[in-house]
């Protein structure tokens, strides 16, 4: 009863109040100022409100003839993205899931909501297990003969430090190592054959996060050069809770995405007959999703209620960015797509320090994956970090 009152009465009033405040805030910022030091950019608070009130545009371009793979597509923004791909006439949309019941449920919902049968399929994949990744990619190669779009959306977040069988903390295993290994296996599949239909390049898109930069600030300066960052974030004493560890995983994943982009320039494949692949990242913004379902305390529940109803975008709104990122051209290769635009102010991946950290994280990740991918060692040797710039 109390939750219903908040969601149907109080929070709509708060959102109306915020719209009014934002209106006058914009008028104030447009007025001429005699103070040179007065701010011209919105505060972080109003940036969040702007994002909530001004979501990305709904993509309308056709995906006719496209085969789309969504890693983690049975819930949240992954599911909403799958709905859009099917609605936009994709020929085949494959969702990965850990539980076949979730896959069947998602497929049924998509068929009911789009009216299209035999377009959406699901396959089992658990990024916690390197063996599961290998089994999945072998099955995919046998059953799906071409790929045009791969959307790497799967991710986890936990309140407590949880270690997988391989010795890695689960957030790092799923969000970084498992995702990177899967991308290594999928890239040759993407490059196989001609370009995507409708004259577009193929796409490998990594879902990024709003706050990954905060993880960089949490690392002691002396640890950036002397410490293996994967091992640093893997240690229980450095685990600072759900949000901090999730942000850390997204920071490392951004370096992984850039590493792939540098290894595979958008204008060439790995062979003469291969197609080019645009490798980019997308930030859907602060969202209402299932990712924080492991919150247990009353404080977490209360903050979650405010988060869902005042600040965050819906999963549907966030999915718009995921789909539109897969429509962009080679100008987004190695870049971050957010709010219908390329983000160019990412200092963590620019300059000498960013370049060194990019190379460091990439080598750490590839070193771990050498045990599970025969060609992984070549990913290190393909990059000449002194001659290549680091993508923003």
């Amino acid at each position: 009863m109390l939750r219903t009152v908040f969601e149907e009465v109080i929070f709509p009033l708060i959102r109306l109040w915020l719209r009014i405040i934002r209106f006058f805030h914009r008028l104030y910022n447009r007025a001429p100022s005699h103070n040179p030091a007065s701010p011209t950019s919105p505060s972080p608070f109003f940036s969040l409100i702007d994002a909530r009130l001004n979501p990305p545009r709904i993509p309308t371009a056709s995906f006719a003839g496209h085969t789309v793979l969504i890693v983690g597509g049975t819930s949240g923004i992954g599911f909403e993205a799958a709905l859009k791909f099917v609605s936009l006439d994709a020929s085949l949309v494959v969702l990965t899931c850990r539980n076949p019941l979730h896959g069947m449920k998602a497929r049924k919902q998509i068929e009911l909501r789009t009216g299209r049968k035999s377009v959406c399929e699901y396959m089992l994949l658990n990024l916690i297990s390197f063996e599961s990744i290998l089994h999945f990619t072998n099955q995919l190669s046998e059953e799906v003969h071409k790929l045009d779009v791969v959307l790497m959306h799967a991710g986890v977040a936990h309140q407590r430090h949880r270690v997988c069988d391989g010795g890695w903390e689960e957030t790092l295993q799923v969000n970084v190592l498992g995702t990177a290994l899967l991308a290594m296996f999928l890239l040759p599949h993407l490059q196989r054959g001609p370009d995507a239909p409708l004259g577009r390049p193929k796409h490998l898109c990594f879902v990024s996060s709003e706050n990954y930069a905060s993880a960089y600030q949490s690392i002691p300066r002396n640890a950036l050069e002397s410490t293996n960052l994967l091992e640093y974030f893997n240690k229980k004493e450095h685990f600072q809770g759900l949000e901090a560890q999730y942000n850390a995983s997204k920071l490392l994943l951004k370096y992984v995405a850039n590493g792939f982009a540098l290894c595979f320039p958008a204008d060439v494949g790995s062979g003469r007959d291969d197609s080019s692949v645009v490798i980019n990242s997308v930030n859907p913004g602060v969202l209402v999703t299932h990712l924080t379902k492991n919150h247990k305390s009353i404080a977490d529940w209360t903050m979650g209620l405010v988060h869902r109803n005042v600040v965050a975008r819906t999963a549907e709104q966030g999915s718009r960015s995921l789909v539109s990122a897969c429509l962009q051209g080679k100008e987004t290769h190695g870049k971050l797509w957010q709010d219908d635009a390329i983000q160019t102010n990412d200092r963590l991946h620019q300059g000498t320090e960013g370049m060194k950290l990019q190379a460091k994280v990439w080598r750490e990740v590839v070193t771990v994956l050498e045990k599970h991918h025969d060609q992984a060692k070549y990913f290190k040797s393909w990059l000449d970090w002194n001659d290549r710039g680091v993508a923003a």
Side-chain angles (χ1 to χ4, degrees), residues 111-182:
E111 290 179 347
L112 288 173
R113 292 173 63 175
T114 64
R116 299 188 68 200
K117 306 288 185 180
S118 304
V119 174
C120 182
E121 299 293 343
Y122 67 89
M123 298 177 67
L124 297 182
L125 170 65
N126 192 344
L127 293 177
I128 289 177
S129 166
F130 290 127
E131 290 74 17
S132 174
I133 295 171
L134 179 59
H135 176 77
F136 167 79
T137 53
N138 288 336
Q139 181 185 3
L140 186 74
S141 296
E142 294 175 1
E143 299 181 7
V144 180
H145 301 299
K146 76 163 186 126
L147 281 176
D148 301 304
V149 173
V150 173
L151 185 58
M152 307 292 268
H153 162 253
V156 299
H158 298 297
Q159 287 281 28
R160 294 180 176 83
H161 190 270
R162 296 167 56 169
V163 179
C164 301
D165 291 340
W168 292 100
E169 190 274 326
E170 192 170 315
T171 311
L172 298 180
Q173 168 68 31
V174 172
N175 300 5
V176 184
L177 295 173
T179 298
L181 180 62
L182 181 60

Side-chain angles (χ1 to χ4, degrees), residues 60 80 92 96 109 119 167 204 207 213 236 244 250 255 260 275 354 376:
T60 58
E80 293 291 340
L92 176 64
T96 73
Q109 289 180 337
V119 174
L204 172 61
V207 178
K236 189 173 183 179
K250 288 300 184 178
Y255 286 123
F260 280 115
S275 59

Side-chain angles (χ1 to χ4, degrees), residues 336-349:
L336 178 67
W337 181 255
Q338 176 181 332
D339 294 333
D340 297 325
I342 298 172
Q343 302 302 304
T344 59
N345 59 349
D346 190 355
R347 298 180 180 179
L348 297 185
H349 303 85

Side-chain angles (χ1 to χ4, degrees), residues 69-75 94-106 121-127 132 136 154:
L69 171 65
I70 304 179
V71 182
T74 59
S75 63
V94 180
L95 316 177
T96 73
C97 58
R98 291 178 292 177
N99 187 324
L101 294 178
H102 294 166
M104 287 187 286
K105 180 180 177 181
E121 299 293 343
Y122 67 89
M123 298 177 67
L124 297 182
L125 170 65
N126 192 344
L127 293 177
S132 174
F136 167 79

Side-chain angles (χ1 to χ4, degrees), residues 168 172 227-236 238 364:
W168 292 100
L172 298 180
T227 303
N228 183 304
L229 292 182
L230 263 177
E231 294 180 356
Y232 176 88
F233 286 115
N234 195 47
K235 293 180 179 178
K236 189 173 183 179
H238 295 149
E364 290 173 3

Side-chain angles (χ1 to χ4, degrees), residues 159-354:
Q159 287 281 28
R160 294 180 176 83
H161 190 270
R162 296 167 56 169
V163 179
C164 301
D165 291 340
W168 292 100
E169 190 274 326
E170 192 170 315
T171 311
L172 298 180
Q173 168 68 31
V174 172
N175 300 5
V176 184
L177 295 173
T179 298
L181 180 62
L182 181 60
M184 282 186 181
F185 281 117
L186 291 179
L187 263 169
H189 199 161
L190 269 170
Q191 291 177 317
R192 193 182 307 153
D195 285 345
L198 306 177
R200 296 186 192 133
K202 296 186 178 183
H203 280 81
L204 172 61
C205 182
F206 295 85
V207 178
S208 187
S209 172
E210 183 82 7
N211 296 318
Y212 70 83
S214 64
Y216 177 84
Q217 303 298 331
S218 70
I219 307 171
R221 298 302 94 182
N222 60 342
L224 286 174
E225 295 185 2
S226 61
T227 303
N228 183 304
L229 292 182
L230 263 177
E231 294 180 356
Y232 176 88
F233 286 115
N234 195 47
K235 293 180 179 178
K236 189 173 183 179
E237 57 266 31
H238 295 149
F239 186 88
Q240 301 298 319
L242 180 149
E243 183 176 1
Q245 189 73 353
Y246 179 77
N247 291 340
S249 73
K250 288 300 184 178
L251 171 68
L252 300 179
L253 180 63
K254 187 63 169 62
Y255 286 123
V256 166
N258 283 3
F260 280 115
L262 289 168
C263 281
F264 296 91
D267 54 346
V268 296
S270 60
R272 292 183 179 179
D273 298 327
D274 290 337
S275 59
S276 60
V277 179
V278 170
I279 303 173
N280 56 17
S281 299
V282 57
N283 175 19
V286 178
L287 301 175
V288 179
T289 72
H290 71 291
L291 192 62
T292 56
K293 62 185 177 183
N294 292 311
H295 282 158
K296 300 298 183 182
S297 69
I298 295 177
D300 287 336
W301 181 86
T302 304
M303 290 300 297
L305 199 61
V306 175
H307 171 87
R308 287 192 302 272
N309 289 278
V310 178
V311 175
R313 290 171 174 167
T314 65
E316 184 279 321
Q317 292 171 335
S319 73
R320 301 174 190 178
S321 291
L322 272 60
V323 176
S324 64
C326 299
L327 288 166
Q328 305 310 308
K330 297 176 182 179
E331 69 279 0
T332 64
H333 188 76
K335 303 290 176 60
L336 178 67
W337 181 255
Q338 176 181 332
D339 294 333
D340 297 325
I342 298 172
Q343 302 302 304
T344 59
N345 59 349
D346 190 355
R347 298 180 180 179
L348 297 185
H349 303 85
Q350 298 173 339
T352 302
E353 184 177 356

Side-chain angles (χ1 to χ4, degrees), residues 1-14:
M1 178 64 182
L2 182 60
R3 177 172 179 171
T4 301
V5 171
F6 270 90
E7 292 185 342
E8 295 184 2
V9 179
I10 296 178
F11 286 129
L13 289 174
I14 291 176

